[in-house]
Amino acid sequence: MRILVTGGAGFIGSHIVDAALARGWEVRILDSLNPAVHPGPPPRRPGAPLMVGDVGDAVTVAASLKGIDVVVHQSAKVGLGAGFFDAPDYIRENDLATAVLLAGMASAGADKLVLASSMVVYGEGAYTDSAGVPVRPDARRLEDLERGIFDPRDPATGELLLPTLVTEDAALDPRNVYAASKLAQENLASAWARSTGGTAIALRYHNVYGPRMPKNTPYAGVASLFRSALARGEAVRVFEDGGQRRSFVHVADVAEANLRAIEALVEGRVVMPGSFRAYNVGASEVQTIGQMAEVLSAVGGGPAPMVTGEFRLGDVRHITASSARAWAELGWAPRHRFEDGMREFATAPLRGDPA
Ligand SMILES: NC(=O)c1ccc[n+]([C@@H]2O[C@H](COP(=O)([O-])OP(=O)(O)OC[C@H]3O[C@@H](n4cnc5c(N)ncnc54)[C@H](O)[C@@H]3O)[C@@H](O)[C@H]2O)c1
């Protein structure tokens, strides 16, 4: 098996590279080593040649695709950005670059793609009313948040809604530029598959954590921000009431999901030529942000978390994955338990730590 991992020097990409090498596969990395996310040169991975270059550059892409069976497209500008002025960057790095990559694949006859997508394509998670009927919530009301009522309401009745697991056929509602750019990547992949007869799988990662996660960047995930606060001897500040539900998933499990998707494409299972299929990749156990803060503080020997009641209007209240489709069709299920993974994460090296 010969795979190209775009963004293979990054957090998730580097774990995919390691896992693929451990399977005995041939791996090529294409990564721009974007200085905004790489404070220093990333560790070289013997056995996985690194092409330093931009996925948005057609000549580089053509060279990187030679002899490749499956493209695993991880490179992207991630996180929420500093403001709307970032929008052109997101579209260039995520959508234009993906279009260049897919056009290169079409020319090279490379017909199998695994795409890193995200739970952000859903916006809010899934909810039901008290009778178990699915309801799409309204945006949360400022007056509720100010009174410490954090769960969304039923637009028809005003009743507070109950969170449930989101499945891949839920309505899509990208709420910021990053989310819009991730959904556009999926749409491009789908259009590419239909037009070329290729096969594409999008993996919608939920909250990924683990060794080599970036620390202290504006785009770092909440787990990394909490760890950085503890390292400074500060209490972790938890927004709202800490009850925000998430599907935390260990990065090694995400790497394994990519390998399963690659195998499914190569074996011609699951996705028919000319088509595209999306899968949630999240933990089966539902956890809350408050629980994560408690485990990290306890393991790190730091002060107890501070639940502040602060809120940001656009924040998603709950989003938790049903990964049943990935289990049924790709044979993937997360293996790392939350407590064990967080214990390891509490002291694991992060990107940006002194070497
Ligand atoms: N980290 C998460 O929790 C999470 C959640 C959902 C989805 N994702 C998706 O997973 C993928 C990987 O994310 P990550 O957390 O590993 O990010 P990361 O920033 O650690 O890695 C991205 C890598 O891509 C490279 N890159 C960026 N633009 C490039 C370009 N134009 N050409 C070549 N290389 C380029 C960067 O140098 C970096 O090494 C992204 O597509 C992201 O949207 C991540």
Side-chain angles (χ1 to χ4, degrees), residues 1-28:
M1 179 90 73
R2 288 161 301 180
I3 66 169
L4 173 70
V5 185
T6 72
F11 166 46
I12 297 170
S14 66
H15 283 271
I16 296 172
V17 169
D18 288 351
L21 289 174
R23 274 292 218 282
W25 297 355
E26 285 179 45
V27 182
R28 186 179 300 151

Side-chain angles (χ1 to χ4, degrees), residues 119-125 136 171-175 179 316 318-319:
M119 67 177 191
V120 295
V121 299
Y122 297 115
E124 263 292 346
R136 275 191 72 68
L172 302 178
D173 179 19
R175 294 180 163 197
V316 165
H318 304 293
I319 178 151

Side-chain angles (χ1 to χ4, degrees), residues 11-12 31-32 34 38 54-55 74 93 117 178 182 351:
F11 166 46
I12 297 170
D31 198 298
S32 60
N34 181 349
H38 290 283
D54 197 315
V55 177
Q74 303 294 311
E93 293 289 325
S117 185
Y178 170 65
K182 294 305 288 180
R351 186 167 79 208

Side-chain angles (χ1 to χ4, degrees), residues 146-169:
E146 283 172 344
R147 287 164 55 215
I149 299 170
F150 297 114
D151 285 332
R153 292 183 186 275
D154 184 329
T157 64
E159 178 194 6
L160 289 175
L161 294 171
L162 303 169
T164 182
L165 303 181
V166 72
T167 55
E168 292 83 353
D169 44 19

Side-chain angles (χ1 to χ4, degrees), residues 78-276:
V78 306
L80 286 181
F84 203 84
F85 55 82
D86 272 350
D89 274 353
Y90 277 100
I91 302 308
R92 192 168 31 246
E93 293 289 325
N94 299 355
D95 301 331
L96 181 57
T98 298
V100 171
L101 175 68
L102 293 172
M105 290 175 68
S107 301
D111 61 356
K112 297 176 187 67
L113 173 76
V114 178
L115 170 70
S117 185
S118 172
M119 67 177 191
V120 295
V121 299
Y122 297 115
E124 263 292 346
Y127 294 84
T128 66
D129 62 17
S130 52
V133 177
V135 178
R136 275 191 72 68
D138 260 351
R140 295 187 291 169
R141 302 175 189 167
L142 182 59
E143 58 269 28
D144 277 347
L145 296 168
E146 283 172 344
R147 287 164 55 215
I149 299 170
F150 297 114
D151 285 332
R153 292 183 186 275
D154 184 329
T157 64
E159 178 194 6
L160 289 175
L161 294 171
L162 303 169
T164 182
L165 303 181
V166 72
T167 55
E168 292 83 353
D169 44 19
L172 302 178
D173 179 19
R175 294 180 163 197
N176 53 53
V177 173
Y178 170 65
S181 77
K182 294 305 288 180
L183 182 55
Q185 284 187 312
E186 286 197 8
N187 291 336
L188 284 167
S190 175
W192 165 84
R194 189 171 296 125
S195 152
T196 63
T199 47
I201 285 180
L203 299 177
R204 294 178 179 160
Y205 308 156
H206 284 244
N207 286 73
V208 187
Y209 72 94
R212 307 202 286 266
M213 195 165 170
K215 72 188 256 193
N216 270 347
T217 72
Y219 309 121
V222 67
S224 171
L225 294 175
F226 283 2
R227 229 196 78 160
S228 300
L230 288 167
R232 294 191 300 271
E234 295 166 13
V236 162
R237 293 174 68 83
V238 180
F239 282 8
E240 304 187 8
D241 57 358
Q244 305 92 312
R245 292 164 166 241
R246 295 292 183 273
S247 294
F248 295 102
V249 60
H250 192 280
V251 66
D253 286 328
V254 174
E256 180 61 25
N258 276 272
L259 268 49
R260 298 285 171 115
I262 293 166
E263 286 169 338
L265 290 182
V266 168
E267 290 163 18
R269 286 187 279 118
V270 176
V271 186
M272 292 296 110
S275 64
F276 162 95

